[in-house]
Amino acid sequence: SIKMDLLHSNGVLIIQHLQRDYRAYQDFLNFMSHVGDPRNIFSIYFPLWFQLNQVVGTKMIWVAVIGDWFNLIFKWILFGHRPYWWVQETMIYPNQSNPCLEQFPITCETGPGSPSGHAMGSSCVWYVMVTAALSYTVRLKDKSAVALHRLTWSFLWSVFWIIQISVCISRVFIATHFPHQVVLGVFAGILVAEAFEHTSAIQTASLRMYMKTNLFLFIFALGFYLILKLLDIDLLWSVPKAKKWCANPDWINIDTTPFAGLVRNLGALFGLGLGINSEMFITSCKGKNSCKRSFRVLCIAASLATLQLYNFIKIPTHTEYLFYVLSFCKSAAMPLTVVALVPYCVHSLMRTTEKKLN
């Protein structure tokens, strides 16, 4: 406990330094925090990659969902505090001279702080993207290709670490994480992504396998929560702390609670399984148009545009259980749209156009 308090107090000094000396970069750091938001995986990264390479897109969803699930379990096990409430409750500072940490609209996360979900989600998905991009150059055998691969390798991994460091600094800057929590998140995300580099079975998974996986993840997490609750251990202990110490009640969002993230991820995995095993996917993405560049470009553009419309759908938060149900449905609709609905519509449009030209 003494060592952890010392680690936290050193982390507070780093946060104060960032908030004092990096004020000019506030907008950039807030932007990087949004870049690391796991929700961007489903609305931006996945639509782009799935149409370019279905193997990579499928792996991206699996890595994001399993990674975030592990993040939830780790959070429940580690009981990590967040800086913005820890400084208000700790007794290590003499004469009640607790440090003052500035808060922002995205500071008041309600779940435990360790490991960082943003850092973990960002590192695992960007790891998948970098390794996928490098796989295209590693296949070439001539000397010029080898040199190109080495140059590309250095460039992409440099970009990877620049992004991860920026995301980590941004999360520390807004006082929602201690430095050790973001570092742990980055390396945990890399481990999850590396594990899926050697897991090819997900590419041929049936809808039944998707449903079994969803059921296992949900039952394990819920069972873990209920068992510890019977032992008088409240895994939602962080929610009242967030509500108590957040500078602005409007910054508290039910979407940041532990179960909200679980439901969102289960919905996304179910939607992916439903889409990949649908007739619309087989007809469009496995048909003759799937190899055409115009088909892929139209699918990417239409998917990104359609998913942005989902942002305008506001789920009511007055009833928690209704929120979870609707959040599951909304999350399932997003990959289903990318995998099946949009490609099928584009395929039908192209086929109709070809018939008119003939």
Side-chain angles (χ1 to χ4, degrees):
S1 178
I2 295 175
K3 290 183 178 179
M4 189 57 67
D5 283 342
L6 182 61
L7 188 63
H8 285 162
S9 62
N10 289 333
V12 168
L13 292 176
I14 294 174
I15 296 170
Q16 288 180 308
H17 168 69
L18 290 174
Q19 291 187 344
R20 182 182 65 249
D21 297 338
Y22 287 78
R23 175 66 55 192
Y25 304 100
Q26 177 179 330
D27 291 340
F28 171 75
L29 292 173
N30 285 335
F31 170 75
M32 290 308 300
S33 188
H34 286 294
V35 168
D37 193 331
R39 285 169 289 195
N40 288 332
I41 298 168
F42 308 119
S43 61
I44 298 177
Y45 304 142
F46 171 66
L48 285 170
W49 272 97
F50 187 81
Q51 304 304 340
L52 296 175
N53 189 315
Q54 293 171 10
V55 172
V56 177
T58 302
K59 185 193 299 181
M60 185 177 293
I61 291 290
W62 276 89
V63 166
V65 170
I66 301 300
D68 209 47
W69 183 83
F70 273 115
N71 182 263
L72 173 64
I73 301 301
F74 288 152
K75 283 179 184 292
W76 280 348
I77 293 174
L78 297 177
F79 280 78
H81 290 275
R82 293 185 185 272
Y84 76 92
W85 76 57
W86 181 83
V87 294
Q88 303 291 342
E89 298 188 342
T90 183
M91 304 298 293
I92 70 168
Y93 296 104
N95 303 321
Q96 300 298 317
S97 57
N98 296 48
C100 181
L101 298 182
E102 184 176 356
Q103 296 184 23
F104 303 88
I106 56 176
T107 295
C108 299
E109 299 271 354
T110 58
S114 186
S116 167
H118 280 65
M120 191 169 174
S122 175
S123 65
C124 70
V125 170
W126 278 92
Y127 188 93
V128 169
M129 291 192 287
V130 168
T131 53
L134 289 174
S135 67
Y136 288 105
T137 59
V138 76
R139 299 169 189 165
L140 303 175
K141 301 299 182 182
D142 56 273
K143 292 182 178 179
S144 61
V146 172
L148 175 63
H149 173 71
R150 289 176 179 173
L151 181 63
T152 306
W153 188 95
S154 300
F155 173 75
L156 289 179
W157 283 117
S158 296
V159 171
F160 172 85
W161 284 111
I162 288 172
I163 290 174
Q164 304 320 311
I165 291 171
S166 298
V167 170
C168 289
I169 292 175
S170 72
R171 301 301 289 172
V172 175
F173 174 84
I174 64 174
T176 200
H177 284 294
F178 290 103
H180 70 277
Q181 295 174 344
V182 293
V183 171
L184 180 60
V186 168
F187 287 102
I190 291 174
L191 288 175
V192 172
E194 180 59 29
F196 275 88
E197 289 294 314
H198 312 284
T199 307
S200 57
I202 59 174
Q203 302 298 335
T204 56
S206 63
L207 180 59
R208 177 176 293 182
M209 178 58 68
Y210 276 91
M211 295 180 71
K212 285 182 177 179
T213 303
N214 255 15
L215 196 60
F216 169 79
L217 296 178
F218 177 73
I219 291 176
F220 187 99
L222 183 61
F224 188 72
Y225 169 79
L226 293 176
I227 288 173
L228 289 186
K229 191 171 184 178
L230 289 175
L231 297 175
D232 204 26
I233 300 175
D234 183 16
L235 293 181
L236 299 181
W237 59 273
S238 60
V239 177
K241 287 184 181 292
K243 291 179 178 179
K244 181 179 180 180
W245 297 115
C246 184
N248 187 338
D250 293 336
W251 296 347
I252 296 289
N253 193 338
I254 191 175
D255 202 29
T256 66
T257 59
F259 279 112
L262 175 66
V263 169
R264 182 171 59 246
N265 288 313
L266 295 182
L269 189 63
F270 176 73
L272 176 66
L274 198 62
I276 284 181
N277 291 280
S278 67
E279 285 297 324
M280 287 189 291
F281 171 76
I282 296 172
T283 301
S284 55
C285 294
K286 296 296 183 181
K288 62 178 183 179
N289 283 330
S290 62
C291 297
K292 296 180 179 179
R293 184 177 298 177
S294 57
F295 173 79
R296 295 185 179 186
V297 171
L298 285 173
C299 285
I300 290 173
S303 296
L304 289 173
T306 304
L307 292 186
Q308 297 314 306
L309 296 178
Y310 282 98
N311 294 329
F312 293 100
I313 300 176
K314 301 301 180 183
I315 301 176
T317 59
H318 58 275
T319 305
E320 192 170 358
Y321 294 110
L322 177 62
F323 172 83
Y324 290 146
V325 171
L326 295 178
S327 180
F328 179 90
C329 295
K330 180 180 176 181
S331 298
M334 295 176 74
L336 181 62
T337 299
V338 174
V339 171
L341 297 178
V342 166
Y344 184 77
C345 291
V346 172
H347 169 77
S348 300
L349 179 63
M350 292 181 68
R351 187 174 60 180
T352 302
T353 304
E354 288 173 359
K355 287 182 179 180
K356 287 182 178 179
L357 292 176
N358 293 332

